[in-house]
Amino acid sequence: MKISYNWIKQFIKTDWTPEQTSELLTDLGLEVEGLDTYQSIKGGLEGIVVGEVLTCEQHSNADKLKVTTVNIGTDAPVQIVCGAPNVAAGQKVPVATIGTTLYTEEGEAWTIKKGKIRGEESFGMICAEDELGLGKSHDGIMVLDPDTIVGTACADLFDIENDQVFEIGLTPNRADAMSHFGTARDLKAGLQHKDINLELITPSVSSFHVDSRSLKIDVDVQNKELAPRYCGVTISGVKVAESPAWVQHRLKAIGLSPINNIVDATNYVLHELGQPLHAFDADKISDNKIEVKTVAKGTKFTTLDGVERELHEDDLMICDTKKPLCIAGVFGGLDSGVSTDTTKIFLESAYFNPVSVRKTAKRHALNTDASFRFERGIDPNITEYALKRAALLIQELAGGEITSDVSDSYSNKIEDFQVHITFDKVTKLIGQEIPKETIKSILSSLEIKVNNVTETGLGLTIPAYRNDVQREADVIEEILRVYGYNNIKTTTKLNASISNSSKFEDHKLQNVVGNQLASQGFFEIMANSLTTPTYITLSDQLKEEHNITMLNPLSNDLSVMRQSLLFSGLEAVSYNINRRRSDLKFFEFGKTYHDYNGTREEYKHLTLFVTGNKSQESWASPQQKGDFFYLKGTIETALERLGISRYRAMPTKNDAFTEGIQYSQGKTVLVDFGIVKNKINKHFDINQEVMFADFNWDNIIEIAKRNKIKFTAIAKYPEVRRDFALLLDNKVTFEEIHTIAKQTEKQLLKNVNLFDVYQGKNLPNGKKSYAVSFMFQDEHKTLTDKVVDKIMNKLQKNFESKLGAELR
């Protein structure tokens, strides 16, 4: 938000410098992020002086150039070559001296230098008005009044507006400060706390009066919930033209382009008082009646920017008896706005429902100065005052007469807020005791009325325009920001207590697993919990009725809370692949959100994404794709790191996978993982295989808590390894081999490992070869070949009888 220092001083006559004011505004919570200089004439005519043309002769080598000698008030006249057709001896002219910086119409700077033009030296430049920024004419040089004194700085001759503009980073809760008046009001409170008592000057509307009642526009507010207050008045006999320079300077200083005197007046009051207004061409209002209502869904409406928009049934519209005229609080209509032919206007000032305006603005992707203020909540009690202020300003700028009474629809008055604070709470939250009289003085300076005072606290009335101050804590924050955060002393003693916390707390387990995944080359992502409702069409397991829909979404693509972390992760995968990063390993800790028959539930998850190669390209190692088994190994190491080693594998029921596995303990699901379907990948423009794992983090935490870590001494006796090469049916899994082996020998068999798989030539159809290793160990003695051979024979017989295996 841009705030003009000169404009602020119309409300509060401070002699503080802009830099001092910046510091105070920042201390008050209106953080000044920058301080810029505005000049109505760029460069401020610095280096431009009044000169008198003493002689003017034809250039010997150029028909269109003249060689002049000009007195600029120095010891000797200077020679200047000039190409203007109207230059003549005896003229008083503006001269840009050597070293002066001039600016083009586009704002590019260029410097006057000593030079030669067609062989003749030139020591400056006689300027036209467009070269100085004083006009648009370039027909010839600018000729000044003959009585002007030679050598006078041109900056002293012309009315140049010099201003300092604050760039304020306004937080969304400070709707009360979205104007020069609101900023000045805060500044007054800050100065008062420093014992500088200045009056807050408000523009007077006492001269407002009705000249005649010749043009009455009836107002019918049909939706009072969306338009709690609506005021209007007509002005006839206006003349649309350019605004005077002082208005244009005010608007340009804060980055607005002047349009015409009517529109500029409404913009002026908007930034002056924070009340948006809109001027309609009264001749374009059918039947002299305004209706404030919603219209049918799909109604076409063309806004001032020339874009035809399709209206929503919840959009509040300003209409006449036949058509919509304006999107209430957001944007005007092309066919009802003020034009050069306008002579009568209907001026609107209103308070619209903030939520309604925000939804409408987001639906139509419109962000205007009016919607910015309406959707944050303006002051409902200045609606009529601002209307009168704007009407008087329009009369001043465009003439005309007030030709109707002010209509004011305000059936349900928006009341001030009642809050009670206690002094103990103030001290507790601030951390320092503030004198009671200081507290009351600060509240008074903020226009917060103290209704009653007791030994323990205060009963307060908060003005309606402070819609962000409705709780005791909010009031204490107001006290603190005016008192000054920097005035709160830092204690020399620091007290702290050590809490006894479990090592199985959520954030600790997240750090354990997260660090392990990061060491394996995974990158953590954090996706938005808000997503598009269209993703539920990608999985039959996601239901529309389970969506939690945002009441006030930022956009349609962020209107529901996610039911799965898969799609937000695929967005990140697609984003990176499109930027030539195709070897990806991601993990995310996040939540899913569901509405089950009116009961809202959320669940914690850890998800993994693997696509492309497992590692970066290197001469030292060949490239290997990150396949299903790589993901499986990563999952198992993560579970093992948490002490979870016992789980059952079964086919997953997740329909997002072409093939996948689910690990569980009993009925408790730990993780689903597999290869994402191509159909889903294509939805995100991903043309490579993606592996995905979804841990139920809530279940993981509960099971990790139940696991007790047992410490055992390292065995003193050596291990013995034996291998089998088994010829098996293709349908036989390693899990079956592992289970049979463990059932056959429960004491000495420590580990079973599949170290080679072969399918191809020299094998019968439907067969495969597994190379399996078996590790044996006795913790009390050295194993003999006789004992190991006996176990291996049992294993062989069981594999043959139960799996139909053959030794190769």
Side-chain angles (χ1 to χ4, degrees):
M1 179 182 72
K2 294 183 183 293
I3 294 293
S4 157
Y5 184 55
N6 289 348
W7 204 338
I8 274 190
K9 289 199 290 184
Q10 290 188 336
F11 295 102
I12 183 167
K13 302 296 184 182
T14 175
D15 57 358
W16 276 31
T17 65
E19 290 74 20
Q20 288 175 302
T21 306
S22 294
E23 291 180 13
L24 181 55
L25 288 174
T26 299
D27 289 343
L28 290 168
L30 303 179
E31 183 181 0
V32 177
E33 298 174 339
L35 184 61
D36 299 322
T37 299
Y38 168 78
Q39 293 178 311
S40 57
I41 299 174
K42 194 162 186 180
L45 299 182
E46 186 176 347
I48 313 296
V49 299
V50 176
E52 181 179 9
V53 181
L54 302 177
T55 64
C56 180
E57 298 177 358
Q58 183 66 43
H59 194 294
S60 58
N61 295 322
D63 293 339
K64 295 184 178 181
L65 296 179
K66 303 284 179 62
V67 179
T68 66
T69 54
V70 183
N71 177 15
I72 57 173
T74 54
D75 294 340
V78 295
Q79 179 173 293
I80 297 176
V81 177
C82 179
N86 64 328
V87 64
Q91 293 174 333
K92 298 286 181 68
V93 293
V95 178
T97 56
I98 300 298
T100 298
T101 299
L102 297 179
Y103 297 86
T104 65
E105 206 172 311
E106 292 76 24
E108 294 181 8
W110 57 288
T111 304
I112 301 296
K113 299 178 181 179
K114 174 185 174 182
K116 276 190 176 182
I117 303 176
R118 293 290 185 93
E120 294 287 348
E121 289 187 324
S122 184
F123 297 88
M125 174 179 170
I126 304 175
C127 301
E129 65 177 37
D130 68 326
E131 294 166 332
L132 299 178
L134 293 170
K136 297 182 179 180
S137 173
H138 195 70
D139 294 336
I141 60 169
M142 188 176 185
V143 180
L144 304 176
D145 190 303
D147 295 332
T148 309
I149 298 173
V150 171
T152 302
C154 285
D156 298 333
L157 297 180
F158 300 97
D159 184 18
I160 302 174
E161 176 86 1
N162 291 293
D163 199 357
Q164 296 290 315
V165 180
F166 306 108
E167 181 67 48
I168 295 179
L170 193 68
T171 53
N173 63 308
R174 292 303 308 277
D176 63 294
M178 291 188 297
S179 64
H180 286 77
F181 176 68
T183 304
R185 184 168 50 198
D186 247 28
L187 187 59
K188 175 183 179 294
L191 290 170
Q192 185 173 318
H193 183 63
K194 297 181 181 295
D195 295 325
I196 303 174
N197 294 302
L198 297 176
E199 180 186 0
L200 187 63
I201 304 168
T202 55
S204 173
V205 295
S206 59
S207 61
F208 179 88
H209 66 279
V210 178
D211 297 295
S212 69
R213 292 175 174 81
S214 57
L215 180 59
K216 182 183 179 183
I217 303 286
D218 294 323
V219 175
D220 178 16
V221 180
Q222 298 179 16
N223 194 323
K224 291 182 169 56
E225 182 181 352
L226 301 185
R229 189 173 191 185
Y230 190 91
C231 297
V233 71
T234 63
I235 307 173
S236 301
V238 297
K239 184 177 181 180
V240 178
E242 277 193 358
S243 296
W246 69 269
V247 173
Q248 294 196 36
H249 293 332
R250 286 283 182 267
L251 298 178
K252 287 178 180 179
I254 59 173
L256 295 182
S257 299
I259 298 173
N260 59 55
N261 47 10
I262 305 296
V263 176
D264 292 349
T266 60
N267 283 333
Y268 187 94
V269 175
L270 164 67
H271 290 275
E272 178 184 54
L273 302 177
Q275 171 66 56
L277 302 111
H278 189 71
F280 299 90
D281 188 326
D283 287 331
K284 298 175 182 177
I285 300 175
S286 299
D287 300 325
N288 284 350
K289 185 175 182 180
I290 289 289
E291 296 178 350
V292 183
K293 61 183 182 180
T294 56
V295 296
K297 181 179 181 179
T299 301
K300 304 293 185 182
F301 180 69
T302 303
T303 45
L304 280 169
D305 55 1
V307 176
E308 185 180 73
R309 304 178 188 275
E310 192 171 294
L311 300 177
H312 189 272
E313 66 267 23
D314 293 332
D315 292 339
L316 184 66
M317 303 296 296
I318 311 301
C319 310
D320 58 21
T321 57
K322 297 179 180 178
K323 61 187 180 300
L325 304 174
C326 173
I327 303 177
V330 181
F331 213 19
L334 183 64
D335 298 328
S336 63
V338 173
S339 66
T340 53
D341 299 325
T342 299
T343 58
K344 293 178 284 187
I345 64 169
F346 173 74
L347 186 63
E348 164 198 280
S349 178
Y351 176 89
F352 296 119
N353 182 286
V355 174
S356 171
V357 172
R358 181 170 176 78
K359 286 184 176 181
T360 297
K362 291 300 178 185
R363 266 194 293 268
H364 298 290
L366 290 169
N367 183 22
T368 62
D369 284 338
S371 68
F372 179 81
R373 286 158 177 78
F374 275 127
E375 63 192 34
R376 285 161 175 78
I378 62 172
D379 184 357
N381 295 320
I382 67 164
T383 311
E384 183 181 4
Y385 167 72
L387 181 74
K388 291 180 178 179
R389 164 65 175 151
L392 290 172
L393 185 58
I394 288 172
Q395 283 188 294
E396 178 183 345
L397 303 183
E401 296 182 337
I402 306 297
T403 50
S404 74
D405 292 312
V406 173
S407 60
D408 186 1
S409 174
Y410 194 19
S411 54
N412 296 316
K413 185 178 179 182
I414 298 173
E415 299 293 341
D416 295 337
F417 311 110
Q418 304 299 319
V419 178
H420 183 269
I421 67 169
T422 61
F423 296 121
D424 286 344
K425 188 71 171 180
V426 174
T427 302
K428 182 178 179 181
L429 286 185
I430 292 178
Q432 178 177 313
E433 185 174 356
I434 297 177
K436 295 178 182 178
E437 289 304 315
T438 301
I439 291 175
K440 289 191 284 185
S441 173
I442 290 174
L443 293 173
S444 176
S445 70
L446 292 170
E447 299 183 3
I448 296 175
K449 183 180 178 182
V450 179
N451 297 324
N452 55 74
V453 182
T454 66
E455 285 296 319
T456 59
L458 303 172
L460 308 171
T461 297
I462 314 295
Y465 65 80
R466 289 310 307 270
N467 54 41
D468 62 319
V469 183
Q470 300 185 29
R471 306 171 301 164
E472 183 179 19
D474 298 330
V475 177
I476 296 172
E477 183 183 2
E478 291 297 295
I479 295 169
L480 179 56
R481 72 180 182 85
V482 176
Y483 184 77
Y485 291 94
N486 295 332
N487 294 326
I488 303 301
K489 298 177 182 178
T490 304
T491 59
T492 56
K493 181 180 179 182
L494 179 64
N495 296 323
S497 59
I498 299 174
S499 61
N500 182 21
S501 61
S502 169
K503 64 182 178 180
F504 295 109
E505 288 187 8
D506 186 3
H507 70 279
K508 292 184 179 180
L509 294 183
Q510 286 190 32
N511 285 338
V512 167
V513 175
N515 288 338
Q516 176 165 318
L517 291 170
S519 68
Q520 291 177 273
F522 281 76
F523 288 89
E524 185 172 8
I525 62 174
M526 288 181 285
N528 199 334
S529 293
L530 299 176
T531 188
T532 173
T534 60
Y535 284 159
I536 63 171
T537 62
L538 300 177
S539 172
D540 293 335
Q541 294 175 322
L542 304 180
K543 306 296 182 184
E544 184 176 0
E545 58 267 24
H546 296 161
N547 273 338
I548 295 178
T549 305
M550 303 301 295
L551 293 176
N552 194 15
L554 295 172
S555 69
N556 290 331
D557 288 337
L558 298 172
S559 60
V560 300
M561 305 197 75
R562 61 184 176 183
Q563 293 188 49
S564 170
L565 274 67
L566 170 61
F567 308 117
S568 53
L570 289 175
E571 288 176 351
V573 170
S574 175
Y575 182 89
N576 280 271
I577 290 175
N578 288 338
R579 284 153 183 79
R580 301 178 65 86
R581 294 180 62 89
S582 57
D583 301 331
L584 305 170
K585 293 187 291 186
F586 291 152
F587 73 95
E588 178 184 9
F589 289 99
K591 292 182 179 181
T592 58
Y593 307 86
H594 314 267
D595 186 342
Y596 295 131
N597 298 321
T599 302
R600 295 182 177 181
E601 298 182 13
E602 57 184 61
Y603 303 101
K604 296 176 183 176
H605 294 260
L606 163 63
T607 56
L608 308 181
F609 294 85
V610 175
T611 185
N613 295 314
K614 289 191 288 187
S615 58
Q616 292 183 353
E617 186 177 7
S618 171
W619 65 271
S621 60
Q623 289 284 55
Q624 288 184 322
K625 289 286 184 183
D627 56 14
F628 177 85
F629 295 100
Y630 172 72
L631 177 64
K632 180 174 177 287
T634 303
I635 292 166
E636 290 176 353
T637 55
L639 292 173
E640 185 177 348
R641 182 65 182 84
L642 295 173
I644 303 174
S645 57
R646 297 175 57 192
Y647 40 81
R648 183 167 56 95
M650 58 188 299
T652 183
K653 297 179 181 179
N654 193 326
D655 67 352
F657 300 129
T658 55
E659 53 183 304
I661 293 176
Q662 181 183 95
Y663 285 168
S664 59
Q665 279 193 3
K667 295 183 178 180
T668 304
V669 176
L670 300 180
V671 56
D672 279 295
F673 61 98
I675 302 171
V676 180
K677 286 182 177 178
N678 287 334
K679 171 189 172 184
I680 296 176
N681 288 338
K682 287 181 180 178
H683 184 85
F684 295 90
D685 293 327
I686 299 173
N687 296 316
Q688 61 190 57
E689 192 175 67
V690 178
M691 271 66 66
F692 172 66
D694 184 4
F695 291 80
N696 189 316
W697 192 248
D698 291 310
N699 292 342
I700 295 288
I701 293 173
E702 288 303 314
I703 291 174
K705 288 179 180 178
R706 297 200 298 263
N707 285 330
K708 293 183 179 180
I709 299 174
K710 295 180 180 180
F711 296 91
T712 57
I714 297 175
K716 298 178 181 179
Y717 302 98
E719 296 176 334
V720 176
R721 170 175 167 165
R722 295 290 175 85
D723 298 341
F724 271 158
L726 299 173
L727 186 64
L728 302 160
D729 291 337
N730 283 337
K731 64 180 181 180
V732 176
T733 64
F734 172 69
E735 184 182 9
E736 293 176 282
I737 296 173
H738 186 278
T739 302
I740 292 171
K742 285 290 188 179
Q743 290 173 348
T744 303
E745 177 53 53
K746 298 180 180 179
Q747 298 296 325
L748 301 179
L749 182 60
K750 301 300 181 183
N751 188 36
V752 182
N753 182 50
L754 176 66
F755 64 88
D756 188 36
V757 177
Y758 176 73
Q759 289 176 295
K761 293 181 180 180
N762 303 323
L763 291 183
N765 288 336
K767 296 289 185 178
K768 62 184 176 183
S769 176
Y770 272 6
V772 184
S773 67
F774 303 89
M775 199 70 70
F776 303 96
Q777 188 178 48
D778 191 327
E779 297 177 2
H780 305 290
K781 60 184 178 181
T782 301
L783 287 173
T784 63
D785 288 340
K786 182 178 179 181
V787 173
V788 175
D789 289 342
K790 184 178 179 180
I791 297 172
M792 292 300 291
N793 288 333
K794 286 183 182 179
L795 289 173
Q796 180 181 344
K797 289 178 181 179
N798 286 339
F799 291 151
E800 289 174 348
S801 62
K802 295 181 180 181
L803 301 177
E806 299 177 30
L807 288 183
R808 293 188 64 199

